[in-house]
């Protein structure tokens, strides 16, 4: 058997350590059940595994370090459980990984810098945990990334300029952390970006060079609840796809630029 799925049932109890006897498994899906306990380390013996879906259960304990040895893994979904401890650093060995979803858990510690070596990674979802530390500059090496979602943690420091390497990024969601400093000018070079959510942080400085009219896909910007200052640059309202912008609770000065009247797709604006 290569494919096994019991997704969306009423299963309870724990995942048996004897799961390893199914050594030919490529895909294991037991998401959205009522499973509890820890993930058995014997799962690491299924070396052909490419897809592991354990989300929406009640697993606890630490994520087994040995899962980083499953070098054929492409889709890794452990979100919405009660996992604790750190994200294993040897996940950096999962060079075939396309999506990593560990959001909505109780994970702590820093984001492993080794994850920056995952050049095939498209989706990186670590939101709503208890993560601390900075966003490593190594993340810029995951150059295929389309979604960077790390909101609702305790991350600090500045946004690394290496993010300019993420030319395919469409979603950057870093809100509700403690990031500081200015928005790197190089962010304006992310021309495929569609959604930028940086609200509820400690960013400061002006926005004069934060955006570019070359960002033709950028439709949603939320930079509320920071310490940005200076005038609102006219470039913001020259973004052709802009439909939503919120910048409340900052320290902006001056009046809104006249270019706002030409933003034909704008449906929601909030600068109170």
């Amino acid at each position: 058997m290569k494919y096994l799925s019991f997704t969306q049932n009423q299963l309870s109890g724990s995942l048996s350590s004897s799961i390893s006897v199914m050594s030919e498994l490529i895909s294991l899906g037991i998401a959205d059940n009522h499973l509890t306990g820890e993930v058995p380390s014997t799962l690491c013996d299924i070396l052909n595994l490419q897809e592991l879906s354990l989300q929406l259960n009640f697993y606890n304990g630490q994520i087994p370090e040995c899962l980083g040895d499953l070098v054929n893994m492409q889709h890794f979904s452990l979100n919405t459980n009660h996992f604790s401890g750190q994200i294993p650093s040897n996940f950096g060995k999962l060079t075939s990984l396309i999506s990593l979803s560990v959001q909505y858990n109780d994970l702590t510690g820093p984001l492993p810098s080794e994850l920056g070596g995952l050049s095939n990674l498209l989706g990186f979802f670590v939101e709503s945990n208890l993560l601390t530390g900075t966003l490593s500059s190594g993340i810029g090496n995951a150059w295929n990334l389309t979604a960077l979602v790390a909101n609702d943690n305790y991350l600090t420091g500045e946004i690394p300029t290496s993010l300019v390497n993420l030319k395919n990024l469409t979603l950057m969601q870093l809100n509700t952390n403690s990031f500081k400093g200015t928005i790197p000018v190089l962010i304006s070079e992310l021309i495929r970006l569609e959604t930028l959510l940086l609200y509820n942080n400690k960013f400061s400085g002006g926005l004069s060079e934060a955006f570019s009219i070359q960002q033709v896909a950028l439709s949603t910007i939320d930079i509320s609840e920071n310490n940005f200052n200076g005038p609102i640059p006219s470039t913001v309202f020259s973004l052709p796809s802009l439909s939503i912008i919120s910048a409340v609770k900052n320290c902006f000065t001056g009046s809104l630029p006249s270019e706002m009247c030409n933003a034909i797709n704008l449906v929601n604006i909030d600068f109170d």
Side-chain angles (χ1 to χ4, degrees), residues 51-77:
E51 181 175 4
L52 178 62
S53 301
L54 303 181
Q55 70 269 25
L56 292 165
N57 278 289
F58 298 92
Y59 291 114
N60 57 35
Q62 298 190 6
I63 299 173
E65 185 88 15
C66 61
L67 289 177
D69 296 328
L70 300 178
V71 295
N72 294 307
M73 186 70 70
Q74 297 180 10
H75 300 281
F76 206 160
S77 300

Side-chain angles (χ1 to χ4, degrees), residues 107-171:
L107 298 172
T108 57
L111 290 169
S113 59
E114 290 84 354
L115 298 179
L118 302 178
S119 59
N120 289 308
L121 195 65
L122 299 180
F124 183 60
F125 303 95
V126 296
E127 72 267 27
S128 299
N129 279 287
L130 305 170
L131 299 173
T132 57
T134 62
L135 189 60
S136 170
S137 61
I139 194 69
N141 296 325
W143 52 273
N144 274 314
L145 204 63
T146 61
L148 173 59
V149 183
N151 56 283
D152 289 272
N153 282 289
Y154 297 95
L155 298 173
T156 59
E158 300 185 4
I159 295 180
T161 57
S162 62
L163 288 190
V164 70
N165 297 327
L166 306 181
K167 301 298 186 182
N168 295 312
L169 199 66
T170 61
L171 171 61

Side-chain angles (χ1 to χ4, degrees), residues 183-185 187-189 193 196 198 207-215 218 221 223 233 235-236 239 245:
I183 298 179
V185 174
I187 295 296
S188 65
E189 298 183 25
L193 196 63
L196 178 65
L198 300 178
L207 298 177
S208 60
E209 298 180 306
F211 302 101
S212 165
I213 59 173
Q214 294 181 346
Q215 293 176 297
L218 189 53
I221 300 172
I223 53 174
T235 311
V236 172
L239 298 169
I245 181 169

